[in-house]
Amino acid sequence: MPNQEQRNSGKGRDLLGSDIERFFEYFAKLRKDLDDIDVPHGLLFKCLSCFSMLDTLSRCVGDTKENRKRFLNLIKNFCDWKDGERISVPHLVRYLQIHPSQEFEDLRVFGNQKIDAWKPGNILTIVDDIEVDEVRKRWPRGYDKSEIEDLQHWNLLWQMRNSLVHEIRFRGRGHQGLATGDAPVYHSQTALEPTDDPTETWELVYPFAFLAKLLNTALTNLRAYCERNTLNPYNYYRFGTYWLDELNDVM
């Protein structure tokens, strides 16, 4: 691995360029290999692999040990996903159902009007969700505004990541097969409660094609970032014989 002095020389820059190329071509090949997975539960494995690679790439641009901060930094700044800041309407409506304070009435009416306009049977994209500023301006004073972030798609993507990584399951009750494009969608679903009264829900789906698109964009943007800033991606990982990282440190 070239040191800083070597990087300032022509030879050092050549080595750095080779490392950057090797690093990103390795992940580009892994990403492409996902398309060839054709086994039972293959979609589950493909989505899980996307999150694993996104987690790994986040170390290149994250100077914190907290996984969530690193992951969200990558998604927000390197994946070109502007709609990630939107507020999920069904999640907002449900949040306001379990927080019945009258101070949320204006926001509750606003949220209910939005979801009442959604027609069951349709497939909706998250473009139909709410801009975050629309919620912020209606959020009552004295209440923690950080809870707004929990309702944004950036955080919901993190929650899906956690379900796949830690529990090997998709979040919610959405059907992956109903998402035919590369954008997150909602579909309506009728469930029967113990009372036998039908309950209509809107289920959120982040399809594999969407996760693959995030990963492809991250690879492109991260590579350009490393080249532009002369950053060697290998510097942010530890390698060696020993499984305890500290035992591989240079004495």
Side-chain angles (χ1 to χ4, degrees):
M1 196 72 69
N3 58 35
Q4 189 63 46
E5 182 177 347
Q6 287 174 318
R7 290 179 198 170
N8 292 332
S9 68
K11 182 179 179 181
R13 285 193 294 272
D14 289 342
L15 289 171
L16 174 61
S18 296
D19 279 346
I20 291 174
E21 181 177 6
R22 183 167 61 252
F23 180 88
F24 286 101
E25 286 189 355
Y26 170 76
F27 281 100
K29 185 179 185 305
L30 287 182
R31 157 64 195 96
K32 187 176 180 180
D33 287 345
L34 294 182
D35 294 332
D36 297 328
I37 294 177
D38 185 17
V39 296
H41 305 296
L43 194 59
L44 188 72
F45 300 145
K46 290 161 76 166
C47 291
L48 176 58
S49 296
C50 280
F51 279 113
S52 179
M53 282 188 266
L54 287 168
D55 265 347
T56 302
L57 294 173
S58 73
R59 297 186 64 171
C60 295
V61 288
D63 55 1
T64 174
K65 292 184 178 180
E66 187 176 334
N67 286 347
R68 182 178 185 274
K69 287 184 178 179
R70 281 205 314 260
F71 179 86
L72 292 182
N73 174 58
L74 177 74
I75 299 300
K76 291 178 181 180
N77 296 306
F78 291 89
C79 291
D80 299 340
W81 186 33
K82 180 65 174 175
D83 288 329
E85 70 178 7
R86 289 182 181 270
I87 300 293
S88 168
V89 173
H91 286 81
L92 173 66
V93 169
R94 178 56 181 162
Y95 175 91
L96 296 173
Q97 286 175 346
I98 62 177
H99 292 80
S101 170
Q102 68 273 21
E103 293 174 281
F104 281 103
E105 184 173 2
D106 181 44
L107 183 56
R108 189 176 297 110
V109 169
F110 176 73
N112 287 335
Q113 287 175 340
K114 285 286 185 181
I115 204 164
D116 287 344
W118 290 11
K119 303 302 181 183
N122 291 341
I123 303 293
L124 305 176
T125 71
I126 64 172
V127 174
D128 295 290
D129 275 323
I130 301 173
E131 295 280 359
V132 66
D133 289 342
E134 291 294 322
V135 173
R136 286 184 180 135
K137 70 183 182 182
R138 292 176 172 84
W139 199 260
R141 292 182 180 180
Y143 285 83
D144 187 2
K145 285 193 173 183
S146 68
E147 295 190 16
I148 297 174
E149 297 178 5
D150 293 342
L151 305 171
Q152 290 182 281
H153 280 281
W154 284 324
N155 181 62
L156 298 180
L157 183 71
W158 170 251
Q159 299 302 326
M160 180 179 175
R161 175 261 186 205
N162 291 343
S163 287
L164 282 168
V165 171
H166 299 297
E167 300 173 358
I168 318 294
R169 68 180 179 93
F170 290 111
R171 201 76 168 179
R173 296 186 176 91
H175 298 282
Q176 289 281 323
L178 294 179
T180 58
D182 62 3
V185 300
Y186 293 99
H187 67 80
S188 60
Q189 183 162 296
T190 301
L192 293 179
E193 300 294 334
T195 59
D196 289 331
D197 294 329
T199 300
E200 194 79 34
T201 60
W202 285 97
E203 301 294 336
L204 176 62
V205 176
Y206 291 137
F208 165 69
F210 166 69
L211 300 180
K213 183 179 179 180
L214 288 183
L215 181 54
N216 290 339
T217 305
L219 286 168
T220 298
N221 289 340
L222 269 177
R223 179 168 184 164
Y225 179 81
C226 288
E227 292 173 341
R228 189 167 62 248
N229 292 275
T230 61
L231 297 173
N232 191 321
Y234 286 105
N235 287 352
Y236 308 103
Y237 308 88
R238 288 184 175 182
F239 303 92
T241 297
Y242 303 103
W243 291 19
L244 301 177
D245 284 336
E246 62 271 17
L247 299 184
N248 291 308
D249 288 344
V250 178
M251 300 299 292

